[in-house]
């Protein structure tokens, strides 16, 4: 795949992403559950999912024409 400017890169496997997890407002990105679980414990993931850690973490889809620097 040719690299497209603006797409997110998975923090674990390094693959380009057009959808995936945005963790802590953009500090990390993960393309799938496996990559997320390789880096974070089940407890951390649960806390992110229920908002208990106030991390502003969520699943998103990014479209090239909507991507701006440093935004999820």
């Amino acid at each position: 795949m040719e690299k497209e400017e603006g797409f997110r890169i998975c923090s674990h496997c390094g693959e380009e992403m057009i959808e995936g997890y945005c963790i802590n407002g953009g500090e990390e990105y993960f393309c799938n559950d496996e990559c997320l679980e390789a880096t974070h414990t089940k407890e951390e993931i649960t806390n992110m999912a229920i908002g208990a850690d106030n991390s502003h973490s969520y699943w998103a889809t990014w479209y090239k024409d909507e991507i701006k620097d440093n935004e999820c």
Side-chain angles (χ1 to χ4, degrees), residues 3-68:
K3 297 267 181 206
E4 294 280 347
E5 186 176 328
F7 284 85
R8 305 303 192 263
I9 303 297
C10 179
S11 299
H12 180 69
C13 71
E15 291 293 318
E16 274 187 355
M17 303 166 43
I18 58 168
E19 64 179 6
Y21 294 101
C22 176
I23 305 300
N24 203 20
E27 287 182 7
E28 298 176 291
Y29 299 98
F30 297 98
C31 60
N32 58 39
D33 292 341
E34 290 175 7
C35 286
L36 178 65
E37 292 168 0
T39 309
H40 293 278
T41 66
K42 298 254 186 228
E43 182 178 358
E44 290 171 327
I45 294 168
T46 298
N47 286 335
M48 284 186 268
I50 62 173
D53 63 355
N54 295 313
S55 68
H56 197 242
S57 300
Y58 51 89
W59 178 269
T61 300
W62 299 282
Y63 299 96
K64 185 176 181 181
D65 60 344
E66 296 176 352
I67 295 173
K68 295 180 177 69

